[in-house]
Amino acid sequence: MRVSVPVAALPVVFATVMLDAVGIGLIFPILPALLRDVTHADNVAPYIGIMTALYALMQFIFAPVLGALSDRLGRRPVLLLSLAGAAVNYLFLAFAPSLWMLLLGRAIAGLTSANVSVATAYITDISAENQRARRFGLLNAMFGAGFIIGPVLGGALGDYGLRLPFMAAALLNTVNLLLALLTLPESRRSTGGKIDLAALNPLRPLRWIFSEKSLLPITVIFFTFSAAGEVYGVCWALWGHDAFAWNGLWIGLSLGAFGVCQALAQAFLPGPAVKLLGERATILAGVACACVALIVMAFATRSWMIFAIMPVFALGGIGAPALQSLATRQVAEDRQGQFQGVLASAVSLASVLCPLVFSSIYFGVRAYWPGAVWLSVIVVYAALVPLVLGLSLASTTPASSRG
């Protein structure tokens, strides 16, 4: 059951999501040196792969669990618990002396970052249907801002000490925990009663999705959107070096420029775009913009071309908030947390599987044409079009409440 919540609660939720993204990004610049320090090995690539997959795997397992718990217990206690866990975990990582402790800490970090599904359900609770696209756009913008801040913060602090980024993350999460504790109201009253332990099984929500055939297309779309997004983290730096001889500074500048453009686009454009075009057309427009940019990137011969296409590339981000808004109308109110958890699991599953796929493609085309990897992303986007065209625009009959 919903309760009246002031709009002032939104910044706290946005800050929670941004800090999740900061926590994901801050480890990337320092991870190779940190792993060399604790393993005393020169080749740490296998360890990086294990840590990345472990983080995403924990998100995959626990996102639907936290979502289902928030439906039963309320959003606020689950968010507070995850923030407290993140703060303690970053302190743990700051002093972890061995590889197994780093792996344990990264696993816990993946668990606590699964609260994005709860934050999404919270916004759904307090937002009218005509507000959701804009607010989901702001949510994605905050996540994007975190990915800009995280690597910069991690790289800057890591120059002074490999563990300093973790200490900074612990401090930020503690501040956010106190802010949420003092100012974040509950958006949904607890249903009370005993907790169904079977509902905590992470595979149970997935069985529910497969039993509701009408929800499969939108879940597949979320997975495919996320799959396409994984290519940038895997291939961007390699491609920049191979195609343009970029050094670390230029790779950082290009990623920063894209992050800023995308954050602005997602903060201000999804609401007006949905109002003008409708949700389905906005999704397709975002896909079209991304494909235009990817074609330019595939054939670009000068660095300035990449920076020139950044605004168009960033417009590709307007499709995700529109898709999130459309998704919220596919299920009943009492299943929003569970459904958002399943969608977050689809994103996490893509994060586990797809880096392996795109890295294999890149190394297959690298010697002949590094930019060809971007054409493979267009193929992925093309598979989305018939699914998006088949989505219902109107509010549907709520999905069954059966477990």
Side-chain angles (χ1 to χ4, degrees):
M1 178 179 177
R2 290 185 181 185
V3 296
S4 178
V5 174
V7 177
L10 283 172
V12 181
V13 178
F14 291 152
T16 299
V17 171
M18 185 175 73
L19 285 176
D20 283 337
V22 170
I24 295 170
L26 68 82
I27 195 174
F28 291 147
I30 64 170
L31 186 57
L34 182 61
L35 286 172
R36 282 193 292 268
D37 182 58
V38 298
T39 64
H40 308 291
D42 291 328
N43 182 10
V44 295
Y47 301 116
I48 293 176
I50 291 171
M51 291 191 75
T52 303
L54 182 61
Y55 184 95
L57 181 62
M58 294 299 285
Q59 280 190 319
F60 170 70
I61 293 172
F62 284 98
V65 175
L66 294 185
L69 280 175
S70 76
D71 281 339
R72 175 58 64 92
L73 302 178
R75 317 296 187 206
R76 174 181 155 89
V78 177
L79 283 172
L80 292 177
L81 182 63
S82 65
L83 286 171
V88 172
N89 176 63
Y90 281 121
L91 278 178
F92 177 85
L93 286 170
F95 298 100
S98 60
L99 177 62
W100 76 265
M101 293 184 73
L102 286 176
L103 290 172
L104 175 61
R106 203 57 182 160
I108 297 172
L111 187 160
T112 58
S113 72
N115 63 23
V116 174
S117 62
V118 184
T120 305
Y122 190 102
I123 291 177
T124 301
D125 290 340
I126 67 173
S127 304
E129 285 190 2
N130 61 358
Q131 296 174 318
R132 289 175 183 172
R134 180 175 63 85
R135 289 181 177 179
F136 285 141
L138 289 171
L139 187 75
N140 286 345
M142 292 299 101
F143 201 77
F147 269 114
I148 297 169
I149 296 169
V152 174
L153 181 65
L157 293 178
D159 288 340
Y160 296 95
L162 286 177
R163 310 298 179 124
L164 278 179
F166 297 119
M167 296 180 186
L171 177 61
L172 289 173
N173 274 278
T174 300
V175 171
N176 197 29
L177 172 62
L178 293 174
L179 183 63
L181 188 63
L182 296 174
T183 65
L184 187 69
E186 180 56 69
S187 66
R188 180 182 179 82
R189 290 195 179 95
S190 171
T191 57
K194 294 183 179 180
I195 297 177
D196 181 8
L197 295 180
L200 303 185
N201 179 357
L203 298 180
R204 184 175 181 180
L206 295 179
R207 291 203 304 267
W208 170 63
I209 285 292
F210 281 102
S211 70
E212 299 290 345
K213 301 300 184 183
S214 63
L215 299 179
L216 283 175
I218 201 164
T219 305
V220 171
I221 290 172
F222 264 85
F223 176 87
T224 310
F225 255 110
S226 302
E230 289 298 320
V231 69
Y232 308 115
V234 174
C235 300
W236 189 281
L238 294 169
W239 162 75
H241 179 270
D242 292 337
F244 307 113
W246 281 350
N247 58 20
L249 174 62
W250 280 103
I251 291 171
L253 287 174
S254 63
L255 287 171
F258 172 70
V260 170
C261 289
Q262 188 173 59
L264 291 173
Q266 291 196 334
F268 298 108
L269 296 183
V274 168
K275 188 176 296 185
L276 179 66
L277 302 174
E279 288 161 328
R280 183 163 58 191
T282 299
I283 296 168
L284 294 175
V287 169
C289 289
C291 289
V292 169
L294 288 166
I295 291 172
V296 173
M297 291 166 61
F299 292 94
T301 57
R302 298 288 186 271
S303 293
W304 66 263
M305 297 179 181
I306 307 305
F307 287 89
I309 202 64
M310 284 291 183
V312 177
F313 198 6
L315 286 175
I318 67 174
L323 180 61
Q324 287 175 307
S325 178
L326 187 57
T328 62
R329 293 196 266 130
Q330 309 300 309
V331 296
E333 295 290 344
D334 63 348
R335 288 295 181 139
Q336 286 293 336
Q338 184 179 25
F339 184 47
Q340 295 298 335
V342 170
L343 295 181
S345 288
V347 172
S348 298
L349 186 59
S351 298
V352 174
L353 300 176
C354 296
L356 300 175
V357 174
F358 283 118
S359 62
S360 299
I361 293 173
Y362 184 78
F363 284 108
V365 303
R366 180 184 182 189
Y368 309 99
W369 180 14
V373 69
W374 306 125
L375 300 182
S376 70
V377 187
I378 295 176
V379 174
V380 175
Y381 278 130
L384 285 172
V385 174
L387 290 173
V388 172
L389 290 175
L391 287 177
S392 172
L393 297 178
S395 295
T396 63
T397 300
S400 171
S401 294
R402 67 180 179 271

